[in-house]
Amino acid sequence: MVLLIGYGNRLRRDDGAGAVLPAMVEGGSPLGSVRAVEAHQLLPEMAEEIAAPEVTGVIFFDACPAGGGMSSVAAVSLAASSGEGALGHHLAPELLLAYAGELYGRTPPAWLVTVPGEDFSHGEGFSDRARANLAEADHVARALVLRLSGG
């Protein structure tokens, strides 16, 4: 089973893109092949689920401001890494993977899918750019699910 963890604030327009992706991908996947988790932010207690024996891989989803060369969806392989922010507001996926390895002895393969957006103001709904990038991210994530599930 591939664990899909999306995080972001749905009340900050495009920032919610990462949060909605797990349910999008889960909806089109065979029953039991994925598990979707939506969160406002990553939490240390997620390490236990990441390290579960049935998890063949993890895909994290997040939104980012478009710009600085980031104008399309990016998928990056992750490795466990300790670092700053162990209990701060922003817990990095790499640190969560490190917790899974240190506390539970298992770190499955992991990827981060980043969705660029342009409107992070207060409100609901996505900008046109984020909406287009969500469709692309859904396609990218489905390919990763196949790869991580051995299909």
mmCIF file with all atom_site columns, all heavy atoms in Angstrom, residues 1-2 4 22-36 141-143 145-146 149 151:
data_model
loop_
_atom_site.group_PDB
_atom_site.id
_atom_site.type_symbol
_atom_site.label_atom_id
_atom_site.label_alt_id
_atom_site.label_comp_id
_atom_site.label_asym_id
_atom_site.label_entity_id
_atom_site.label_seq_id
_atom_site.pdbx_PDB_ins_code
_atom_site.Cartn_x
_atom_site.Cartn_y
_atom_site.Cartn_z
_atom_site.occupancy
_atom_site.B_iso_or_equiv
_atom_site.pdbx_formal_charge
_atom_site.auth_seq_id
_atom_site.auth_comp_id
_atom_site.auth_asym_id
_atom_site.auth_atom_id
_atom_site.pdbx_PDB_model_num
ATOM 1   N N   . MET A 1 1   ? 0.835   -1.168 0.000   1.00 0.00 ? 1   MET A N   1
ATOM 2   C CA  . MET A 1 1   ? 0.000   0.000  0.000   1.00 0.00 ? 1   MET A CA  1
ATOM 3   C C   . MET A 1 1   ? 0.891   1.248  0.000   1.00 0.00 ? 1   MET A C   1
ATOM 4   O O   . MET A 1 1   ? 1.892   1.300  0.718   1.00 0.00 ? 1   MET A O   1
ATOM 5   C CB  . MET A 1 1   ? -0.890  -0.001 1.243   1.00 0.00 ? 1   MET A CB  1
ATOM 6   C CG  . MET A 1 1   ? -1.704  1.256  1.319   1.00 0.00 ? 1   MET A CG  1
ATOM 7   S SD  . MET A 1 1   ? -2.123  1.952  2.941   1.00 0.00 ? 1   MET A SD  1
ATOM 8   C CE  . MET A 1 1   ? -0.833  1.587  4.026   1.00 0.00 ? 1   MET A CE  1
ATOM 9   N N   . VAL A 1 2   ? 0.520   2.229  -0.808  1.00 0.00 ? 2   VAL A N   1
ATOM 10  C CA  . VAL A 1 2   ? 1.254   3.490  -0.858  1.00 0.00 ? 2   VAL A CA  1
ATOM 11  C C   . VAL A 1 2   ? 0.513   4.503  0.009   1.00 0.00 ? 2   VAL A C   1
ATOM 12  O O   . VAL A 1 2   ? -0.696  4.689  -0.131  1.00 0.00 ? 2   VAL A O   1
ATOM 13  C CB  . VAL A 1 2   ? 1.385   4.005  -2.309  1.00 0.00 ? 2   VAL A CB  1
ATOM 14  C CG1 . VAL A 1 2   ? 2.095   5.341  -2.336  1.00 0.00 ? 2   VAL A CG1 1
ATOM 15  C CG2 . VAL A 1 2   ? 2.128   2.987  -3.167  1.00 0.00 ? 2   VAL A CG2 1
ATOM 16  N N   . LEU A 1 4   ? -0.321  8.200  1.009   1.00 0.00 ? 4   LEU A N   1
ATOM 17  C CA  . LEU A 1 4   ? -0.359  9.526  0.402   1.00 0.00 ? 4   LEU A CA  1
ATOM 18  C C   . LEU A 1 4   ? -0.619  10.553 1.500   1.00 0.00 ? 4   LEU A C   1
ATOM 19  O O   . LEU A 1 4   ? -1.660  10.502 2.147   1.00 0.00 ? 4   LEU A O   1
ATOM 20  C CB  . LEU A 1 4   ? -1.488  9.607  -0.632  1.00 0.00 ? 4   LEU A CB  1
ATOM 21  C CG  . LEU A 1 4   ? -1.560  8.478  -1.663  1.00 0.00 ? 4   LEU A CG  1
ATOM 22  C CD1 . LEU A 1 4   ? -2.838  8.588  -2.478  1.00 0.00 ? 4   LEU A CD1 1
ATOM 23  C CD2 . LEU A 1 4   ? -0.337  8.515  -2.557  1.00 0.00 ? 4   LEU A CD2 1
ATOM 24  N N   . PRO A 1 22  ? -4.190  13.882 -2.091  1.00 0.00 ? 22  PRO A N   1
ATOM 25  C CA  . PRO A 1 22  ? -4.321  12.475 -1.699  1.00 0.00 ? 22  PRO A CA  1
ATOM 26  C C   . PRO A 1 22  ? -5.702  11.896 -2.003  1.00 0.00 ? 22  PRO A C   1
ATOM 27  O O   . PRO A 1 22  ? -5.800  10.784 -2.521  1.00 0.00 ? 22  PRO A O   1
ATOM 28  C CB  . PRO A 1 22  ? -4.043  12.489 -0.194  1.00 0.00 ? 22  PRO A CB  1
ATOM 29  C CG  . PRO A 1 22  ? -3.155  13.653 -0.002  1.00 0.00 ? 22  PRO A CG  1
ATOM 30  C CD  . PRO A 1 22  ? -3.658  14.686 -0.981  1.00 0.00 ? 22  PRO A CD  1
ATOM 31  N N   . ALA A 1 23  ? -6.752  12.641 -1.733  1.00 0.00 ? 23  ALA A N   1
ATOM 32  C CA  . ALA A 1 23  ? -8.108  12.147 -2.012  1.00 0.00 ? 23  ALA A CA  1
ATOM 33  C C   . ALA A 1 23  ? -8.340  12.002 -3.508  1.00 0.00 ? 23  ALA A C   1
ATOM 34  O O   . ALA A 1 23  ? -9.020  11.065 -3.947  1.00 0.00 ? 23  ALA A O   1
ATOM 35  C CB  . ALA A 1 23  ? -9.145  13.073 -1.391  1.00 0.00 ? 23  ALA A CB  1
ATOM 36  N N   . MET A 1 24  ? -7.786  12.915 -4.317  1.00 0.00 ? 24  MET A N   1
ATOM 37  C CA  . MET A 1 24  ? -7.912  12.811 -5.774  1.00 0.00 ? 24  MET A CA  1
ATOM 38  C C   . MET A 1 24  ? -7.285  11.513 -6.269  1.00 0.00 ? 24  MET A C   1
ATOM 39  O O   . MET A 1 24  ? -7.885  10.776 -7.054  1.00 0.00 ? 24  MET A O   1
ATOM 40  C CB  . MET A 1 24  ? -7.234  14.005 -6.457  1.00 0.00 ? 24  MET A CB  1
ATOM 41  C CG  . MET A 1 24  ? -7.955  15.313 -6.315  1.00 0.00 ? 24  MET A CG  1
ATOM 42  S SD  . MET A 1 24  ? -7.005  16.725 -6.980  1.00 0.00 ? 24  MET A SD  1
ATOM 43  C CE  . MET A 1 24  ? -6.831  16.278 -8.711  1.00 0.00 ? 24  MET A CE  1
ATOM 44  N N   . VAL A 1 25  ? -6.080  11.236 -5.800  1.00 0.00 ? 25  VAL A N   1
ATOM 45  C CA  . VAL A 1 25  ? -5.354  10.046 -6.245  1.00 0.00 ? 25  VAL A CA  1
ATOM 46  C C   . VAL A 1 25  ? -6.021  8.785  -5.707  1.00 0.00 ? 25  VAL A C   1
ATOM 47  O O   . VAL A 1 25  ? -6.178  7.796  -6.426  1.00 0.00 ? 25  VAL A O   1
ATOM 48  C CB  . VAL A 1 25  ? -3.872  10.116 -5.814  1.00 0.00 ? 25  VAL A CB  1
ATOM 49  C CG1 . VAL A 1 25  ? -3.132  8.843  -6.171  1.00 0.00 ? 25  VAL A CG1 1
ATOM 50  C CG2 . VAL A 1 25  ? -3.197  11.335 -6.447  1.00 0.00 ? 25  VAL A CG2 1
ATOM 51  N N   . GLU A 1 26  ? -6.446  8.829  -4.460  1.00 0.00 ? 26  GLU A N   1
ATOM 52  C CA  . GLU A 1 26  ? -7.098  7.664  -3.852  1.00 0.00 ? 26  GLU A CA  1
ATOM 53  C C   . GLU A 1 26  ? -8.378  7.305  -4.606  1.00 0.00 ? 26  GLU A C   1
ATOM 54  O O   . GLU A 1 26  ? -8.670  6.125  -4.819  1.00 0.00 ? 26  GLU A O   1
ATOM 55  C CB  . GLU A 1 26  ? -7.415  7.948  -2.386  1.00 0.00 ? 26  GLU A CB  1
ATOM 56  C CG  . GLU A 1 26  ? -8.031  6.759  -1.657  1.00 0.00 ? 26  GLU A CG  1
ATOM 57  C CD  . GLU A 1 26  ? -8.344  7.068  -0.203  1.00 0.00 ? 26  GLU A CD  1
ATOM 58  O OE1 . GLU A 1 26  ? -8.939  8.127  0.074   1.00 0.00 ? 26  GLU A OE1 1
ATOM 59  O OE2 . GLU A 1 26  ? -7.996  6.230  0.653   1.00 0.00 ? 26  GLU A OE2 1
ATOM 60  N N   . GLY A 1 27  ? -9.124  8.325  -5.029  1.00 0.00 ? 27  GLY A N   1
ATOM 61  C CA  . GLY A 1 27  ? -10.392 8.099  -5.717  1.00 0.00 ? 27  GLY A CA  1
ATOM 62  C C   . GLY A 1 27  ? -10.252 7.326  -7.017  1.00 0.00 ? 27  GLY A C   1
ATOM 63  O O   . GLY A 1 27  ? -11.177 6.628  -7.425  1.00 0.00 ? 27  GLY A O   1
ATOM 64  N N   . GLY A 1 28  ? -9.121  7.418  -7.674  1.00 0.00 ? 28  GLY A N   1
ATOM 65  C CA  . GLY A 1 28  ? -8.916  6.714  -8.941  1.00 0.00 ? 28  GLY A CA  1
ATOM 66  C C   . GLY A 1 28  ? -8.032  5.495  -8.823  1.00 0.00 ? 28  GLY A C   1
ATOM 67  O O   . GLY A 1 28  ? -7.609  4.941  -9.833  1.00 0.00 ? 28  GLY A O   1
ATOM 68  N N   . SER A 1 29  ? -7.732  5.071  -7.607  1.00 0.00 ? 29  SER A N   1
ATOM 69  C CA  . SER A 1 29  ? -6.828  3.937  -7.398  1.00 0.00 ? 29  SER A CA  1
ATOM 70  C C   . SER A 1 29  ? -7.610  2.704  -6.959  1.00 0.00 ? 29  SER A C   1
ATOM 71  O O   . SER A 1 29  ? -8.663  2.830  -6.330  1.00 0.00 ? 29  SER A O   1
ATOM 72  C CB  . SER A 1 29  ? -5.787  4.275  -6.328  1.00 0.00 ? 29  SER A CB  1
ATOM 73  O OG  . SER A 1 29  ? -5.006  5.369  -6.738  1.00 0.00 ? 29  SER A OG  1
ATOM 74  N N   . PRO A 1 30  ? -7.098  1.505  -7.274  1.00 0.00 ? 30  PRO A N   1
ATOM 75  C CA  . PRO A 1 30  ? -7.759  0.286  -6.812  1.00 0.00 ? 30  PRO A CA  1
ATOM 76  C C   . PRO A 1 30  ? -7.864  0.268  -5.289  1.00 0.00 ? 30  PRO A C   1
ATOM 77  O O   . PRO A 1 30  ? -6.960  0.729  -4.587  1.00 0.00 ? 30  PRO A O   1
ATOM 78  C CB  . PRO A 1 30  ? -6.830  -0.837 -7.293  1.00 0.00 ? 30  PRO A CB  1
ATOM 79  C CG  . PRO A 1 30  ? -6.038  -0.233 -8.406  1.00 0.00 ? 30  PRO A CG  1
ATOM 80  C CD  . PRO A 1 30  ? -5.907  1.222  -8.076  1.00 0.00 ? 30  PRO A CD  1
ATOM 81  N N   . LEU A 1 31  ? -8.975  -0.249 -4.810  1.00 0.00 ? 31  LEU A N   1
ATOM 82  C CA  . LEU A 1 31  ? -9.236  -0.317 -3.380  1.00 0.00 ? 31  LEU A CA  1
ATOM 83  C C   . LEU A 1 31  ? -8.091  -1.015 -2.647  1.00 0.00 ? 31  LEU A C   1
ATOM 84  O O   . LEU A 1 31  ? -7.648  -2.089 -3.050  1.00 0.00 ? 31  LEU A O   1
ATOM 85  C CB  . LEU A 1 31  ? -10.549 -1.065 -3.130  1.00 0.00 ? 31  LEU A CB  1
ATOM 86  C CG  . LEU A 1 31  ? -11.123 -1.003 -1.730  1.00 0.00 ? 31  LEU A CG  1
ATOM 87  C CD1 . LEU A 1 31  ? -11.434 0.448  -1.354  1.00 0.00 ? 31  LEU A CD1 1
ATOM 88  C CD2 . LEU A 1 31  ? -12.384 -1.832 -1.637  1.00 0.00 ? 31  LEU A CD2 1
ATOM 89  N N   . GLY A 1 32  ? -7.570  -0.380 -1.607  1.00 0.00 ? 32  GLY A N   1
ATOM 90  C CA  . GLY A 1 32  ? -6.508  -0.953 -0.792  1.00 0.00 ? 32  GLY A CA  1
ATOM 91  C C   . GLY A 1 32  ? -5.101  -0.691 -1.289  1.00 0.00 ? 32  GLY A C   1
ATOM 92  O O   . GLY A 1 32  ? -4.145  -1.015 -0.597  1.00 0.00 ? 32  GLY A O   1
ATOM 93  N N   . SER A 1 33  ? -4.965  -0.110 -2.485  1.00 0.00 ? 33  SER A N   1
ATOM 94  C CA  . SER A 1 33  ? -3.615  0.122  -3.011  1.00 0.00 ? 33  SER A CA  1
ATOM 95  C C   . SER A 1 33  ? -2.989  1.394  -2.446  1.00 0.00 ? 33  SER A C   1
ATOM 96  O O   . SER A 1 33  ? -1.773  1.535  -2.462  1.00 0.00 ? 33  SER A O   1
ATOM 97  C CB  . SER A 1 33  ? -3.634  0.188  -4.535  1.00 0.00 ? 33  SER A CB  1
ATOM 98  O OG  . SER A 1 33  ? -4.373  1.312  -4.983  1.00 0.00 ? 33  SER A OG  1
ATOM 99  N N   . VAL A 1 34  ? -3.826  2.323  -1.968  1.00 0.00 ? 34  VAL A N   1
ATOM 100 C CA  . VAL A 1 34  ? -3.332  3.566  -1.393  1.00 0.00 ? 34  VAL A CA  1
ATOM 101 C C   . VAL A 1 34  ? -4.148  3.916  -0.154  1.00 0.00 ? 34  VAL A C   1
ATOM 102 O O   . VAL A 1 34  ? -5.261  3.423  0.033   1.00 0.00 ? 34  VAL A O   1
ATOM 103 C CB  . VAL A 1 34  ? -3.406  4.758  -2.396  1.00 0.00 ? 34  VAL A CB  1
ATOM 104 C CG1 . VAL A 1 34  ? -2.549  4.508  -3.616  1.00 0.00 ? 34  VAL A CG1 1
ATOM 105 C CG2 . VAL A 1 34  ? -4.823  5.065  -2.780  1.00 0.00 ? 34  VAL A CG2 1
ATOM 106 N N   . ARG A 1 35  ? -3.568  4.768  0.668   1.00 0.00 ? 35  ARG A N   1
ATOM 107 C CA  . ARG A 1 35  ? -4.289  5.335  1.817   1.00 0.00 ? 35  ARG A CA  1
ATOM 108 C C   . ARG A 1 35  ? -3.990  6.818  1.826   1.00 0.00 ? 35  ARG A C   1
ATOM 109 O O   . ARG A 1 35  ? -2.831  7.228  1.824   1.00 0.00 ? 35  ARG A O   1
ATOM 110 C CB  . ARG A 1 35  ? -3.832  4.706  3.116   1.00 0.00 ? 35  ARG A CB  1
ATOM 111 C CG  . ARG A 1 35  ? -4.499  5.360  4.340   1.00 0.00 ? 35  ARG A CG  1
ATOM 112 C CD  . ARG A 1 35  ? -4.311  4.554  5.587   1.00 0.00 ? 35  ARG A CD  1
ATOM 113 N NE  . ARG A 1 35  ? -4.335  5.197  6.856   1.00 0.00 ? 35  ARG A NE  1
ATOM 114 C CZ  . ARG A 1 35  ? -4.907  6.320  7.239   1.00 0.00 ? 35  ARG A CZ  1
ATOM 115 N NH1 . ARG A 1 35  ? -5.527  7.067  6.390   1.00 0.00 ? 35  ARG A NH1 1
ATOM 116 N NH2 . ARG A 1 35  ? -4.851  6.766  8.464   1.00 0.00 ? 35  ARG A NH2 1
ATOM 117 N N   . ALA A 1 36  ? -5.048  7.631  1.830   1.00 0.00 ? 36  ALA A N   1
ATOM 118 C CA  . ALA A 1 36  ? -4.904  9.083  1.792   1.00 0.00 ? 36  ALA A CA  1
ATOM 119 C C   . ALA A 1 36  ? -4.985  9.683  3.187   1.00 0.00 ? 36  ALA A C   1
ATOM 120 O O   . ALA A 1 36  ? -5.850  9.313  3.981   1.00 0.00 ? 36  ALA A O   1
ATOM 121 C CB  . ALA A 1 36  ? -5.997  9.686  0.913   1.00 0.00 ? 36  ALA A CB  1
ATOM 122 N N   . ALA A 1 141 ? 1.437   11.696 -9.673  1.00 0.00 ? 141 ALA A N   1
ATOM 123 C CA  . ALA A 1 141 ? 1.266   10.866 -8.476  1.00 0.00 ? 141 ALA A CA  1
ATOM 124 C C   . ALA A 1 141 ? 0.795   9.455  -8.830  1.00 0.00 ? 141 ALA A C   1
ATOM 125 O O   . ALA A 1 141 ? 1.257   8.480  -8.233  1.00 0.00 ? 141 ALA A O   1
ATOM 126 C CB  . ALA A 1 141 ? 0.283   11.529 -7.516  1.00 0.00 ? 141 ALA A CB  1
ATOM 127 N N   . ARG A 1 142 ? -0.097  9.348  -9.789  1.00 0.00 ? 142 ARG A N   1
ATOM 128 C CA  . ARG A 1 142 ? -0.574  8.010  -10.191 1.00 0.00 ? 142 ARG A CA  1
ATOM 129 C C   . ARG A 1 142 ? 0.571   7.163  -10.759 1.00 0.00 ? 142 ARG A C   1
ATOM 130 O O   . ARG A 1 142 ? 0.656   5.967  -10.500 1.00 0.00 ? 142 ARG A O   1
ATOM 131 C CB  . ARG A 1 142 ? -1.714  8.130  -11.188 1.00 0.00 ? 142 ARG A CB  1
ATOM 132 C CG  . ARG A 1 142 ? -2.983  8.630  -10.556 1.00 0.00 ? 142 ARG A CG  1
ATOM 133 C CD  . ARG A 1 142 ? -4.106  8.831  -11.572 1.00 0.00 ? 142 ARG A CD  1
ATOM 134 N NE  . ARG A 1 142 ? -5.164  9.624  -10.997 1.00 0.00 ? 142 ARG A NE  1
ATOM 135 C CZ  . ARG A 1 142 ? -6.085  9.160  -10.164 1.00 0.00 ? 142 ARG A CZ  1
ATOM 136 N NH1 . ARG A 1 142 ? -6.064  7.894  -9.815  1.00 0.00 ? 142 ARG A NH1 1
ATOM 137 N NH2 . ARG A 1 142 ? -7.014  9.955  -9.677  1.00 0.00 ? 142 ARG A NH2 1
ATOM 138 N N   . ALA A 1 143 ? 1.461   7.797  -11.512 1.00 0.00 ? 143 ALA A N   1
ATOM 139 C CA  . ALA A 1 143 ? 2.633   7.079  -12.026 1.00 0.00 ? 143 ALA A CA  1
ATOM 140 C C   . ALA A 1 143 ? 3.543   6.641  -10.874 1.00 0.00 ? 143 ALA A C   1
ATOM 141 O O   . ALA A 1 143 ? 4.084   5.523  -10.887 1.00 0.00 ? 143 ALA A O   1
ATOM 142 C CB  . ALA A 1 143 ? 3.396   7.962  -13.013 1.00 0.00 ? 143 ALA A CB  1
ATOM 143 N N   . VAL A 1 145 ? 2.560   6.029  -7.772  1.00 0.00 ? 145 VAL A N   1
ATOM 144 C CA  . VAL A 1 145 ? 1.863   4.952  -7.057  1.00 0.00 ? 145 VAL A CA  1
ATOM 145 C C   . VAL A 1 145 ? 2.144   3.616  -7.732  1.00 0.00 ? 145 VAL A C   1
ATOM 146 O O   . VAL A 1 145 ? 2.454   2.616  -7.066  1.00 0.00 ? 145 VAL A O   1
ATOM 147 C CB  . VAL A 1 145 ? 0.341   5.224  -6.963  1.00 0.00 ? 145 VAL A CB  1
ATOM 148 C CG1 . VAL A 1 145 ? -0.412  3.973  -6.530  1.00 0.00 ? 145 VAL A CG1 1
ATOM 149 C CG2 . VAL A 1 145 ? 0.053   6.369  -5.987  1.00 0.00 ? 145 VAL A CG2 1
ATOM 150 N N   . LEU A 1 146 ? 2.059   3.581  -9.042  1.00 0.00 ? 146 LEU A N   1
ATOM 151 C CA  . LEU A 1 146 ? 2.358   2.335  -9.775  1.00 0.00 ? 146 LEU A CA  1
ATOM 152 C C   . LEU A 1 146 ? 3.793   1.885  -9.505  1.00 0.00 ? 146 LEU A C   1
ATOM 153 O O   . LEU A 1 146 ? 4.041   0.695  -9.271  1.00 0.00 ? 146 LEU A O   1
ATOM 154 C CB  . LEU A 1 146 ? 2.159   2.544  -11.281 1.00 0.00 ? 146 LEU A CB  1
ATOM 155 C CG  . LEU A 1 146 ? 0.710   2.531  -11.754 1.00 0.00 ? 146 LEU A CG  1
ATOM 156 C CD1 . LEU A 1 146 ? 0.637   2.912  -13.227 1.00 0.00 ? 146 LEU A CD1 1
ATOM 157 C CD2 . LEU A 1 146 ? 0.072   1.174  -11.517 1.00 0.00 ? 146 LEU A CD2 1
ATOM 158 N N   . SER A 1 149 ? 4.195   0.703  -5.788  1.00 0.00 ? 149 SER A N   1
ATOM 159 C CA  . SER A 1 149 ? 3.437   -0.494 -5.440  1.00 0.00 ? 149 SER A CA  1
ATOM 160 C C   . SER A 1 149 ? 3.907   -1.714 -6.221  1.00 0.00 ? 149 SER A C   1
ATOM 161 O O   . SER A 1 149 ? 3.345   -2.798 -6.092  1.00 0.00 ? 149 SER A O   1
ATOM 162 C CB  . SER A 1 149 ? 1.931   -0.257 -5.642  1.00 0.00 ? 149 SER A CB  1
ATOM 163 O OG  . SER A 1 149 ? 1.667   0.055  -6.992  1.00 0.00 ? 149 SER A OG  1
ATOM 164 N N   . GLY A 1 151 ? 3.809   -2.046 -9.460  1.00 0.00 ? 151 GLY A N   1
ATOM 165 C CA  . GLY A 1 151 ? 2.954   -2.350 -10.618 1.00 0.00 ? 151 GLY A CA  1
ATOM 166 C C   . GLY A 1 151 ? 3.428   -1.805 -11.911 1.00 0.00 ? 151 GLY A C   1
ATOM 167 O O   . GLY A 1 151 ? 4.410   -1.303 -12.223 1.00 0.00 ? 151 GLY A O   1
#
